[in-house]
Amino acid sequence: MLSSIFKYSGVTAKIKVMLGQMLVPEDYEELVRKKTVQEVAAYLKYNTSYKSILEEINENSIHRGQLERVLKKTLIQSYIKLFKFLKGDIKSFLKSIFLRYEIEELKMLTRVLDTGRSPQIAQDSLVFLEKYNTIDIHALAASKNIQQFIENLEGSVYYKLLSPFITNTEHLNLFSIEMVLDMYYFNLLWKQKDKIMSGQDQSIITTSLGSETDILNILWIHRCKKYYNIQNELIYSYIIPHNYKLKKSQIIEMVEAETPEEVESIIKNTPYSKFFSSDKDLLLEHDFDYYIYKLYRSLLRRNNFSIASLMAFIHLKEIEIKNIISVIEGIRYNIEPEQIKKYILVGH
C-alpha cells in the first residue's frame, strides 16, 4: 500500500485537481439551452476550465468542426500533463491507450469514404493522427477509395494491419476494417497488461479491460447476426480472444446461434443482460459509454492510489468531450434541451 501511495501520490494529486475542473450538471443545464455553437463556445470560454484553450478563439465565429477540434486537443493536453508525473511501465501503458484515439480517427475517415464523400471534409477533425510522424494526413484526406487510403498508410503499423485488403477484396468493407483495427488495439492492451503490469494495477486493468472486451464481443456478434451476412467461421476471427465475466461457452453459443433473437436470449443469461431490452437495439453506444462511466467512477472511489485514478480520469474526460459534442449535435438538429440531456452522462 505504501509503495502504491509513493508511486501514485503526484499523479493522483494532479488528477484530483483536473477532476475538480470538469463540468458539473449545472454546466450541462446551461449548455443544452444554448441556441448556437457560438453560444456553447462562449459559455465554455467564460465559465469553465476550457477558458485557457479557447482564449485565442473568437467564439462569435467558431464553427462546429473547429470547436470539436479544440475539445479533442484538451484530451492531448491532459495526456501531456499526466506524462510528467509518470515513468516506467505506467507511462508505457498510457502510450498504448493513446492509440485508441488514432484508431478512432482512422475509422472516422473510412466511414466518410464508405459514404462516397471525400475524407477532406473531416481533415480538420484529425487531432491525434497529425501527431503521427509516419502518416501523411493530407494524403489520407485525398484518398479516392479504401484501397488508396490503405496505401497512404504505408510506413505505419496500420498499413501492415490493413494491407491484405488491397489485394484480397472479398472481405473489404467498413465493418471488416474496423474490426481489424479494434482487434489490434485490444490485443495490444491485453499483452501489455500481462507483460508490464502487476499486483493491484494488473487486477484493476483486468476488470476494466475485461468488461469492455466482453461487451464489445457481444455487440460485434449481435451486429454480425443482425446486419451482416457473415459466416460463423469469419465471426470467430473477429472476436477479441480474451474474456472476463463472459464464459467462452456463451461466446460459442452466440456465434452458433441461427438468429439475432437467439443471441439476445443467450445474452439474458450473462452478467451483461441489463444492456438488453426489447424496445431498443442491443448495446447502443450510449449504453456502453454509461457502463464505462459507472465502472470508472466506481474504480476511482475504491482505488485512489493506483492506476485506477489515471484510467478513470482519461475515460471520464473522454466522456465529457462526447457530452459536449452531443450538445453541439443536438443544437445542430434543433433537438429540444430535455431530449439532448438523454445523451449526456453525468451520473444519472
Side-chain angles (χ1 to χ4, degrees), residues 12 20 26 37 44 54 69 120 143 147 160 162 192 201 224 231 233 242 246 250 267 270 295 307 329 333:
T12 298
E26 290 75 16
V37 171
L44 292 173
L54 287 168
R69 181 179 174 85
Q120 288 179 333
S143 301
Q147 287 96 332
K160 295 177 183 179
L162 300 176
Q192 291 281 69
D201 283 347
C224 285
Q231 294 181 343
E233 291 77 11
H242 305 278
L246 192 64
Q250 291 172 322
I267 293 168
T270 74
L295 172 66
I307 199 171
E329 286 295 296
Y333 292 106

Side-chain angles (χ1 to χ4, degrees), residues 12 49 83 97 122 150 162 171 182 217 251 270 277 288:
T12 298
S49 63
F83 272 173
I97 293 174
I150 295 171
L162 300 176
H171 302 298
D182 286 336
N217 275 337
I251 294 175
T270 74
S277 64
F288 176 72

Side-chain angles (χ1 to χ4, degrees), residues 186 190 193 202-217 240 242-246 272 288 291-292 295-296:
F186 283 101
W190 277 98
K193 173 188 75 71
Q202 188 182 70
S203 176
I204 289 168
I205 294 170
T206 298
T207 298
S208 58
L209 185 59
S211 299
E212 191 170 354
T213 300
D214 279 352
I215 294 172
L216 286 175
N217 275 337
I240 303 169
H242 305 278
N243 60 300
Y244 179 51
K245 291 182 179 179
L246 192 64
Y272 305 100
F288 176 72
Y291 177 86
I292 296 299
L295 172 66
Y296 282 105

Side-chain angles (χ1 to χ4, degrees), residues 106-293:
L106 285 175
K107 288 160 65 175
M108 175 186 67
L109 290 175
T110 57
R111 288 175 195 139
V112 173
L113 264 175
D114 192 58
T115 64
R117 294 177 294 169
S118 169
Q120 288 179 333
I121 66 173
Q123 187 172 338
D124 286 346
S125 298
L126 304 181
V127 172
F128 301 100
L129 283 175
E130 71 178 8
K131 302 290 183 183
Y132 210 106
N133 57 16
T134 60
I135 294 179
D136 184 344
I137 62 171
H138 298 291
L140 280 185
S143 301
K144 303 299 182 184
N145 52 53
I146 294 293
Q147 287 96 332
Q148 191 178 81
F149 180 85
I150 295 171
E151 288 170 354
N152 286 330
L153 287 168
E154 190 167 4
S156 72
V157 65
Y158 303 117
Y159 176 78
K160 295 177 183 179
L161 292 171
L162 300 176
S163 58
F165 288 117
I166 296 175
T167 54
N168 181 11
T169 59
E170 181 183 358
H171 302 298
L172 177 55
N173 55 57
L174 185 62
F175 180 79
S176 296
I177 289 173
E178 291 191 356
M179 293 300 294
V180 168
L181 291 171
D182 286 336
M183 180 79 74
Y184 166 73
Y185 172 74
F186 283 101
N187 277 335
L188 176 65
L189 286 194
W190 277 98
K191 288 177 184 176
Q192 291 281 69
K193 173 188 75 71
D194 293 332
K195 182 180 180 181
I196 67 178
M197 308 305 291
S198 61
Q200 183 187 30
D201 283 347
Q202 188 182 70
S203 176
I204 289 168
I205 294 170
T206 298
T207 298
S208 58
L209 185 59
S211 299
E212 191 170 354
T213 300
D214 279 352
I215 294 172
L216 286 175
N217 275 337
I218 292 173
L219 175 61
W220 291 340
I221 293 170
H222 186 266
R223 281 180 178 171
C224 285
K225 295 291 181 179
K226 188 166 185 178
Y227 301 112
Y228 305 94
N229 185 22
I230 298 178
Q231 294 181 343
N232 291 350
E233 291 77 11
L234 193 55
I235 296 177
Y236 279 118
S237 71
Y238 287 147
I239 293 172
I240 303 169
H242 305 278
N243 60 300
Y244 179 51
K245 291 182 179 179
L246 192 64
K247 298 176 183 177
K248 289 185 178 179
S249 60
Q250 291 172 322
I251 294 175
I252 293 171
E253 278 187 83
M254 286 187 284
V255 175
E256 297 296 329
E258 295 291 332
T259 66
E261 290 74 24
E262 285 184 44
V263 175
E264 292 158 11
S265 178
I266 296 166
I267 293 168
K268 290 179 180 178
N269 293 316
T270 74
Y272 305 100
S273 59
K274 59 187 176 182
F275 283 94
F276 175 75
S277 64
S278 58
D279 63 342
K280 65 179 181 179
D281 200 0
L282 178 67
L283 290 173
L284 296 174
E285 183 179 352
H286 182 268
D287 297 315
F288 176 72
D289 286 341
Y290 187 41
Y291 177 86
I292 296 299
Y293 178 87

Side-chain angles (χ1 to χ4, degrees), residues 76-99:
I76 294 177
Q77 287 184 342
S78 296
Y79 268 87
I80 292 171
K81 289 176 183 177
L82 294 175
F83 272 173
K84 295 177 182 178
F85 293 89
L86 302 173
K87 58 184 178 180
D89 296 343
I90 305 301
K91 197 167 188 174
S92 297
F93 192 75
L94 187 60
K95 287 181 179 178
S96 297
I97 293 174
F98 192 79
L99 291 177

